[in-house]
Amino acid sequence: MTAATKYVTTVGVEVHVELSTRTKMFCSCLNAPQDVPPNHATCPVCLGLPGALPVINKEAVRLGIRAALALNCQINETIWFERKNYIYPDLVKGYQISQYVQPLGEWGHVTITGDDGNEKKIVIRRLHLEEDTSKLTHVDGATLIDVNRCSTPLMEIVTEPVLHSGREAEEYVRKLRAILVYNGISRCRLQRGEMRVEANVSIAPVGSTELGTRTEIKNQAGFNHMRSAIEYEVVRHAEVLESGGKLIQQTMGWDDVNQKTFPQRSKENAHDYRYFPEPDLPSARISPEWVQGERDTMPATYEEYIAQLSEKGLPDVDIEALSRNDALGFLRVAVGANQDKTVLMAKRLVKDVFSLVNSTNVPLDEAKLTPEAFRGAVLLHEGGKINADGFRRVLDILYKNGGDPEAVAKAEDLIIEQNDDAVREAIATVLVEAKKMVDEYKSGKVAVRNAIFGRVMKALNKKGDPKAVGQLLDEMLGPPEA
Ligand code: ADP
Ligand code: MG
Ligand code: ZN
């Protein structure tokens, strides 16, 4: 029996996600840690000054409820917060306000395709709210602290140990991320640390009723790194056990250059956090009416939305591209009430916006283009106010700089000339200037009409509505003489 068939792999995943709220978890400082200079989004509460009192951010709880609903969790009617005490420079208060005994949500699931090819429900044990820590930057032997991120709303989502490979773990975190982004709970930008993943790995002999000793792999840079690290640990665990050694429970890091894990710290379990109920915060009631209200305003689930797009006739390749680029939530918001424009907007996203993703090297979730502005640009084009060239130009500017589509179109002088007199005047001028072509056309060389049309469009600075201009041109040109 080889090590690969002798042992079963078990993985449990802990995910931290920063919530997209306007303000921090327990104070009114802005939750925009990277958009203001370091240490500019702080106040006595998040600096932990004596006497300052925290207040629960209702919007964070609301997003937590929506996350719990999207992940099929049960929601506890009464929740409270605990202090988790530990000493680390990123924690200015000396403790983190978190949830321990009674999390916001419990016993949810995310569906993935298991290694055996069947649908598999990955059980979520708990979903709780807490506050993020400060950001430490180590330079030249010194450590810089930025308190902007301290106390921004954080959600932790923990699975049962039910994943059985690096591949299953990777599919789970990708799906989880897609659901959270789609539902507008977090932007989950890995490059900004808005989603951070820790995987716990153990192996046990086939048939064993107990799980083996686990190691925890910290915050990898990407989901593929997490998978590689899990697969590496599985082999390493088997080697230790096969050689008669004993595994120690410890935290590992992933060295992507050398494709191996390395120990970071040990005896994680020996931590005594001395949890106790946060005395400065009351418990909160999550009324069934509140939960129902959120449920009623949730969009179709991620899976349902994909099915709807398919029913509306959007080809699988486009759906696949939208989901790969995490753009389903963007599309849903952009479409808004314009349901009949769903397929059109989806196609414009895939064709025109994704080409900007490539040409600018800026991912959609870092771009200045909002779903609302995208909708505005599409509707300007649909309504005949800008032509195809104008649409692409407006989109390009919105993608890089943001702004209002109509204002951009005006500033760039792209609004189509809808004044018939102005168009007639341009045509009349061209007909005189291009007399030679007009004569050719008249004598039966009808193909030259396209060249004349091009001259007119150019004279209109490309702002003409091609259909309307074509009609007026044909009218003024008259039929060729037979
Ligand atoms: P901690 O409090 O140390 O983070 P938890 O009991 O909350 O530990 O578990 C953290 C994660 O580790 C969970 O996702 C859980 O499913 C997973 N886990 C626990 N024990 C094991 C094990 N032996 N093998 C693999 N995963 C495990
Ligand atoms: Mg842990
Ligand atoms: Zn503050």
Side-chain angles (χ1 to χ4, degrees):
M1 211 186 239
T2 67
T5 53
K6 190 168 163 190
Y7 297 103
V8 182
T9 298
T10 300
V11 181
V13 177
E14 298 161 276
V15 171
H16 282 93
V17 162
E18 293 180 352
L19 298 173
S20 302
T21 56
R22 199 179 63 81
T23 56
K24 290 191 180 182
M25 188 67 214
F26 301 113
C27 61
S28 55
C29 288
L30 279 188
N31 174 21
Q34 297 175 33
D35 299 343
V36 290
N39 297 314
H40 277 59
T42 67
C43 74
V45 176
C46 56
L47 284 170
L49 301 186
L53 289 174
V55 176
I56 302 171
N57 180 343
K58 192 170 178 189
E59 176 63 7
V61 179
R62 194 182 78 88
L63 288 178
I65 293 172
R66 292 175 82 85
L69 290 172
L71 300 173
N72 313 292
C73 291
Q74 297 163 21
I75 295 174
N76 285 313
E77 209 175 314
T78 305
I79 61 161
W80 60 86
F81 290 86
E82 274 99 357
R83 281 190 190 179
K84 180 179 181 179
N85 300 277
Y86 64 96
I87 299 296
Y88 200 67
D90 64 0
L91 204 62
V92 289
K93 294 200 287 277
Y95 58 85
Q96 178 189 34
I97 304 180
S98 182
Q99 288 194 283
Y100 187 59
V101 176
Q102 184 91 317
L104 177 59
E106 291 177 282
W107 305 119
H109 66 262
V110 165
T111 306
I112 67 163
T113 306
D115 284 338
D116 60 4
N118 293 325
E119 258 193 13
K120 178 170 176 179
K121 281 188 175 156
I122 306 308
V123 179
I124 291 170
R125 178 196 293 178
R126 55 186 283 133
L127 175 156
H128 73 245
L129 299 176
E130 58 189 27
E131 55 181 339
D132 211 343
T133 55
S134 305
K135 190 167 165 31
L136 299 181
T137 310
H138 306 280
V139 273
D140 300 335
T143 299
L144 305 175
I145 183 163
D146 179 5
V147 186
N148 285 356
R149 198 184 69 184
C150 190
S151 211
T152 55
L154 202 62
M155 180 170 66
E156 181 169 350
I157 299 165
V158 183
T159 72
E160 281 285 89
V162 289
L163 293 147
H164 289 300
S165 66
R167 193 207 67 78
E168 285 192 352
E170 182 176 0
E171 187 174 333
Y172 163 73
V173 291
R174 284 191 191 281
K175 185 78 179 280
L176 176 68
R177 175 168 188 272
I179 293 171
L180 296 173
V181 172
Y182 167 78
N183 281 285
I185 287 152
S186 169
R187 297 177 78 176
C188 293
R189 292 174 292 194
L190 300 184
Q191 68 275 20
R192 291 189 180 227
E194 291 170 347
M195 178 173 181
R196 307 186 294 261
V197 176
E198 290 159 30
N200 297 267
V201 191
S202 66
I203 61 169
V206 171
S208 158
T209 51
E210 274 173 41
L211 296 177
T213 301
R214 67 175 150 135
T215 51
E216 178 180 333
I217 312 160
K218 273 270 176 223
N219 293 329
Q220 308 82 4
F223 298 150
N224 47 344
H225 288 195
M226 177 194 74
R227 176 175 176 170
S228 304
I230 291 171
E231 288 168 352
Y232 181 90
E233 278 294 282
V234 167
V235 173
R236 188 182 69 82
H237 285 202
E239 280 168 6
V240 170
L241 296 181
E242 288 297 293
S243 65
K246 216 169 158 312
L247 284 159
I248 37 173
Q249 186 171 333
Q250 59 186 350
T251 302
M252 312 295 287
W254 174 245
D255 173 354
D256 198 51
V257 175
N258 297 304
Q259 291 285 301
K260 56 197 271 194
T261 60
F262 59 92
Q264 272 186 335
R265 53 183 150 119
S266 59
K267 292 196 289 182
E268 173 87 335
N269 258 21
H271 265 310
D272 178 5
Y273 292 123
R274 294 173 294 118
Y275 279 103
F276 63 87
E278 168 58 55
D280 290 339
L281 287 171
S283 61
R285 181 159 179 269
I286 314 293
S287 71
E289 294 76 32
W290 187 9
V291 174
Q292 191 55 43
E294 297 302 336
R295 202 190 295 275
D296 291 344
T297 55
M298 292 285 283
T301 67
Y302 183 75
E303 282 97 348
E304 282 165 4
Y305 193 60
I306 287 176
Q308 286 175 8
L309 292 176
S310 189
E311 274 159 33
K312 287 189 165 150
L314 191 68
D316 283 350
V317 278
D318 292 333
I319 296 177
E320 164 48 33
L322 289 166
S323 104
R324 200 177 48 244
N325 285 276
D326 295 317
L328 287 164
F330 188 99
L331 175 65
R332 180 177 63 72
V333 177
V335 169
N338 306 274
Q339 285 297 321
D340 57 321
K341 300 274 192 292
T342 305
V343 171
L344 172 83
M345 291 210 195
K347 288 197 170 268
R348 289 256 166 260
L349 245 181
V350 171
K351 190 164 166 285
D352 301 309
V353 177
F354 291 173
S355 75
L356 287 168
V357 173
N358 289 330
S359 66
T360 58
N361 246 327
V362 176
L364 181 58
D365 58 11
E366 292 281 359
K368 294 272 166 45
L369 178 72
T370 63
E372 292 80 9
F374 169 71
R375 173 205 303 150
V378 172
L379 295 181
L380 276 182
H381 180 37
E382 275 297 287
K385 288 192 125 182
I386 51 176
N387 63 24
D389 283 334
F391 172 70
R392 276 189 291 272
R393 176 95 189 104
V394 169
L395 209 56
D396 186 74
I397 292 172
L398 293 174
Y399 199 82
K400 291 171 186 155
N401 310 327
D404 171 67
E406 188 143 13
V408 169
K410 281 199 180 119
E412 294 291 308
D413 199 14
L414 295 168
I415 301 288
I416 281 178
E417 193 55 79
Q418 277 168 331
N419 178 339
D420 276 4
D421 289 342
V423 175
R424 275 179 210 281
E425 206 182 300
I427 293 174
T429 312
V430 169
L431 293 187
V432 173
E433 280 173 12
K435 182 158 184 321
K436 200 160 152 259
M437 283 201 279
V438 173
D439 290 344
E440 278 174 24
Y441 173 82
K442 289 279 180 192
S443 67
K445 243 182 107 183
V446 287
V448 87
R449 184 252 182 211
N450 284 344
I452 303 173
F453 173 77
R455 292 275 294 255
V456 175
M457 287 300 277
K458 204 166 163 219
L460 288 167
N461 226 346
K462 290 204 172 166
K463 287 186 302 170
D465 170 13
K467 217 166 131 223
V469 172
Q471 272 170 7
L472 279 177
L473 174 65
D474 291 337
E475 195 181 289
M476 290 170 69
L477 204 49
E481 281 142 22

